[in-house]
């Protein structure tokens, strides 16, 4: 079942160059189809998540009574909602993303993985820039202090992005097999939001309940990001090794599902 | 040279895998022009999609040392909501070509004028065919895969295609798929017929046509 169709034997560097080119082309196309060239165009990429995050931050700040008094509420809201955006938006962008791109796969070098990669890069960049800019902005106006340990924040966020990408690729490929995936993902994402740790700290939960909820991989990422941001204000709970294993398993599932989808793919 | 060795393709259906064809063997040399005849659903399009590398094989292998075009067909290859120019840009990035050069060539060949700046979905079938052809000629391949499409154009487009493909690019290989033998008879060196779930090749066009006729009603 081999196909060798490049004019010269394909070295790793050569295929890397092709893949970079293809993903670049897909990125440009995605930006044009999604944001167009009207008004602020591709700036929506990070303005949109910023608007959401600002809204959530304002609401949570106004209702701060519900949370511990010592907590930097703006930092709590910003880290919480930015985390949700990563693990929720990445999969949402990949559900049903194969079908509308089938015509592009008429070009041999454009594969499902490239389409996924372009969308994930775009989504990750948008949410990442939003998180970064808002951190500086809120710090500038005195709503929060800069992260106590920026490296920790970045690492935690990368782990969340990995989780989002792996989950996204898995259900993105699965949605090509069954239309039910699309129907289930929206409610599931909605239900997971309150459980994902965005709106609470694990230390505030009863220990029996905390044990159960820590089965959710993303909660470890959120707690880790918050530990880096304002760790001196609370007791974080996380097991990054557990999260890494979950991510890895999910990534393997994703690749096997993509392989399956590629085998049965009919570009049209 | 492109070589198909015992190639087979099956599609998943509700009642298990269904073989479209098996044991397909075919060798196409540089500059060779071959036709593939077959009735609707015989697997003509599937076969050239596999040669172009956009669909996977279920068995056998395809070996090639030539660059092969995407299947020039009625559908595919373009993003409908994007303009002609944006599609050209995308394809240039994918195939590593200079955008301005290609746009100039495509403009000249396809004669779409201001339609180049309109979304593809507003194009007629003929316009889409012209654009697809124009881009593939500009990108340039050792082997062109042509799926029925030449038939949609008017006389002027057909004349241009003839000039570009069979006069200026005599040295390129070509695989033309059709259910009517006229075009293939006129342009191909030899032909294969897809019937009975496999490909039978004939060095002589008349023999191929006779075989095709005999199996047309299956």
């Amino acid at each position: 079942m081999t196909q060798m169709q490049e004019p010269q034997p394909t070295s790793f560097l050569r295929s890397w160059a092709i893949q970079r080119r293809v993903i670049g082309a897909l990125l440009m196309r995605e930006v044009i189809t999604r944001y167009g060239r009207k008004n602020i165009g591709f700036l929506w990429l990070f303005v949109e998540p910023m608007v959401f995050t600002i809204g959530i931050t304002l609401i949570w700040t106004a209702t701060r009574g519900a949370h511990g008094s010592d907590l930097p509420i703006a930092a709590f809201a910003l880290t919480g909602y930015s985390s949700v955006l990563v693990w929720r938006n990445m999969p949402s962008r990949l559900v049903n993303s194969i079908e509308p791109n089938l015509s592009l796969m008429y070009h041999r070098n454009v594969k499902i993985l490239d389409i996924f990669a372009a969308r994930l890069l775009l989504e990750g960049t948008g949410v990442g820039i939003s998180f970064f800019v808002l951190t500086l902005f809120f710090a500038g106006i005195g709503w929060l202090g800069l992260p106590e340990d920026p490296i920790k924040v970045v690492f935690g966020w990368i782990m969340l992005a990995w989780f989002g990408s792996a989950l996204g690729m898995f259900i993105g490929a699965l949605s090509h097999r069954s239309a039910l995936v699309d129907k289930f993902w929206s409610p599931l994402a909605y239900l997971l939001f309150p459980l994902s740790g965005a709106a609470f700290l694990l230390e505030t939960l009863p220990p029996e309940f905390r044990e159960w909820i820590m089965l959710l991989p993303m909660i470890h990422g959120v707690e880790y990001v918050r530990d880096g941001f304002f760790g001196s204000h609370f007791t974080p709970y996380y097991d990054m090794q557990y999260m890494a294993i979950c991510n890895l398993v999910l990534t393997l599932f994703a690749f096997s599902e993509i392989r399956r989808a590629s085998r049965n793919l009919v570009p049209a | 040279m492109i070589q198909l060795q015992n190639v087979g393709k099956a599609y998943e259906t509700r009642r298990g895998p269904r073989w479209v064809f098996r044991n397909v063997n075919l060798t196409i040399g540089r500059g060779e022009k071959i036709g593939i005849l077959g009735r609707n659903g015989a697997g003509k399009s599937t076969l050239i999609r596999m040669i172009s590398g956009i669909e996977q094989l279920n068995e056998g292998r395809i070996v090639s040392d030539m660059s092969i075009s995407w299947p020039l067909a009625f559908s595919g290859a373009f993003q409908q909501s994007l303009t002609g120019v944006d599609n050209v840009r995308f394809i240039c990035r994918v195939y590593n070509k200079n955008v301005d050069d290609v746009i100039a060539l495509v403009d000249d060949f396809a004669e779409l004028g201001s339609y180049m700046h309109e979304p593809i979905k507003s194009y007629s079938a003929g316009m889409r065919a012209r654009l697809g052809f124009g881009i593939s000629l500009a990108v340039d391949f050792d082997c062109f895969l042509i799926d029925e499409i030449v038939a949609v154009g008017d006389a002027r487009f057909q004349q241009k295609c003839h000039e570009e493909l069979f006069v200026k690019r005599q040295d390129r290989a070509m695989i033309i798929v059709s259910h009517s033998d006229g075009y293939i008879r006129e342009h191909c060196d030899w032909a294969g017929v897809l019937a009975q779930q496999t490909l039978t090749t004939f060095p002589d066009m008349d023999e191929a046509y006779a075989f095709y006729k005999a199996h047309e009603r299956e």
Side-chain angles (χ1 to χ4, degrees), chain A residues 1-7 18 21-22 24-26 28-29 32-33 37 100-111 259 262-268, chain B residues 9 11-12 49-58 60-64 66 68 70-71 73 75-79 81-82 86 89-91 93-96:
Chain A
M1 280 217 279
T2 38
Q3 267 169 306
M4 313 186 327
Q5 295 190 326
E6 283 301 323
I18 293 172
R21 222 165 56 216
V22 168
L26 286 165
M28 302 287 285
R29 187 211 64 117
I32 296 169
T33 42
R37 296 193 172 91
N101 283 308
L102 275 179
S103 63
L104 300 181
M105 287 184 258
Y106 244 71
H107 305 286
R108 172 187 332 151
N109 291 326
V110 183
K111 304 281 186 207
R259 262 181 73 107
S262 308
R263 248 198 328 267
N264 298 312
L265 198 71
V266 184
Chain B
K9 176 72 183 176
Y11 283 118
E12 292 293 333
R49 282 150 177 273
M50 289 165 74
I51 296 173
S52 83
I54 61 175
E55 275 193 49
Q56 293 189 8
L57 323 179
N58 291 77
R61 57 192 241 124
I62 298 178
V63 187
S64 164
M66 301 200 272
I68 306 171
W70 67 87
S75 65
F78 297 121
Q79 177 83 28
S81 58
L82 287 182
D86 280 335
R89 286 208 186 98
F90 174 79
I91 291 172
R93 289 190 192 109
V94 168
Y95 291 96
N96 206 15

Side-chain angles (χ1 to χ4, degrees), chain B:
Chain B
M1 193 179 70
I2 304 170
Q3 205 166 35
L4 279 71
Q5 299 165 354
N6 297 314
V7 166
K9 176 72 183 176
Y11 283 118
E12 292 293 333
T13 67
R14 245 164 272 193
R15 281 180 292 172
R18 191 187 80 85
W19 288 97
V20 185
F21 44 70
R22 299 184 83 162
N23 296 316
V24 170
N25 289 285
L26 186 67
T27 305
I28 303 132
R30 277 185 192 271
E32 246 182 317
K33 290 160 186 64
I34 75 151
I36 307 236
L37 284 161
R39 59 184 195 88
N40 286 333
K44 304 185 294 291
S45 301
T46 304
L47 183 63
I48 63 166
R49 282 150 177 273
M50 289 165 74
I51 296 173
S52 83
I54 61 175
E55 275 193 49
Q56 293 189 8
L57 323 179
N58 291 77
E59 58 181 26
R61 57 192 241 124
I62 298 178
V63 187
S64 164
D65 60 0
M66 301 200 272
S67 64
I68 306 171
S69 80
W70 67 87
L72 297 163
F74 290 120
S75 65
F78 297 121
Q79 177 83 28
Q80 297 285 321
S81 58
L82 287 182
T83 65
V85 170
D86 280 335
N87 271 291
V88 173
R89 286 208 186 98
F90 174 79
I91 291 172
C92 286
R93 289 190 192 109
V94 168
Y95 291 96
N96 206 15
K97 294 281 163 183
N98 181 288
V99 178
D100 296 329
D101 296 351
V102 172
I103 288 184
L105 278 164
V106 170
D107 231 5
D108 185 51
F109 177 84
E111 299 178 21
L112 291 168
S114 60
Y115 264 97
M116 281 293 278
H117 298 278
E118 296 296 324
I120 301 277
K121 59 187 167 210
S122 69
Y123 287 25
S124 71
M127 288 162 76
R128 230 173 294 150
R130 260 144 59 197
L131 180 64
F133 245 96
I135 301 176
S136 70
L137 291 173
V139 173
D140 213 2
F141 296 96
D142 298 328
C143 177
F144 288 89
L145 306 175
I146 300 164
D147 191 349
E148 309 264 8
I149 202 167
V150 185
V152 299
D154 52 20
R156 183 179 159 80
F157 172 62
Q158 298 216 8
Q159 179 53 40
K160 270 189 149 177
C161 282
H162 181 83
E163 175 76 18
E164 293 290 334
L165 282 175
F166 300 100
V167 181
K168 289 192 195 160
R169 288 176 182 74
Q170 268 179 336
D171 56 329
R172 308 305 158 80
M174 230 159 274
I175 303 174
I176 303 173
V177 149
S178 185
H179 56 74
S180 82
D181 70 317
Y183 194 83
I184 286 180
R185 214 181 255 272
E186 199 180 323
H187 292 103
C188 296
D189 306 323
W190 51 277
V193 179
L194 268 172
Q196 295 172 317
Q197 297 194 331
T198 193
L199 182 79
T200 318
T201 54
F202 299 90
D204 178 76
M205 204 55 87
D206 288 327
E207 268 178 64
Y209 187 59
F211 183 83
Y212 175 50
K213 269 284 169 210
H215 288 276
E216 206 174 23
R217 289 195 190 171
E218 276 169 12

Side-chain angles (χ1 to χ4, degrees), chain A residues 132-196:
Chain A
F132 182 73
V133 170
L134 286 179
T135 300
L136 295 183
F137 174 67
F138 287 155
I141 60 173
W143 281 18
L144 50 76
L146 285 173
E148 295 167 5
D149 186 349
I151 307 253
K152 233 176 185 176
V153 175
V154 172
F155 178 72
W157 200 86
I158 288 173
M159 288 295 282
L160 282 165
W162 179 15
F163 174 72
S165 305
L167 181 64
M169 291 193 296
F170 177 62
I171 67 171
L174 203 63
S175 69
H176 191 62
R177 179 140 56 117
S178 162
L180 286 177
V181 175
D182 181 33
K183 303 275 181 289
F184 278 107
W185 168 246
S186 311
L188 186 70
Y190 205 81
L191 291 173
L192 278 174
F193 177 27
L195 298 176
S196 70

Side-chain angles (χ1 to χ4, degrees), chain A residues 71-72 75-76 79-80 83 131 146-157 201 219-240:
Chain A
L71 216 61
F76 174 80
T79 49
S83 307
F131 187 23
L146 285 173
E148 295 167 5
D149 186 349
I151 307 253
K152 233 176 185 176
V153 175
V154 172
F155 178 72
W157 200 86
L201 293 172
I219 213 162
H220 301 267
V222 183
E223 288 274 313
Y224 198 81
V225 166
R226 283 182 172 151
D227 187 25
F229 228 98
F230 50 90
S232 58
H233 294 263
F234 75 113
T235 316
Y237 289 83
Y238 51 74
D239 178 352
M240 294 317 273

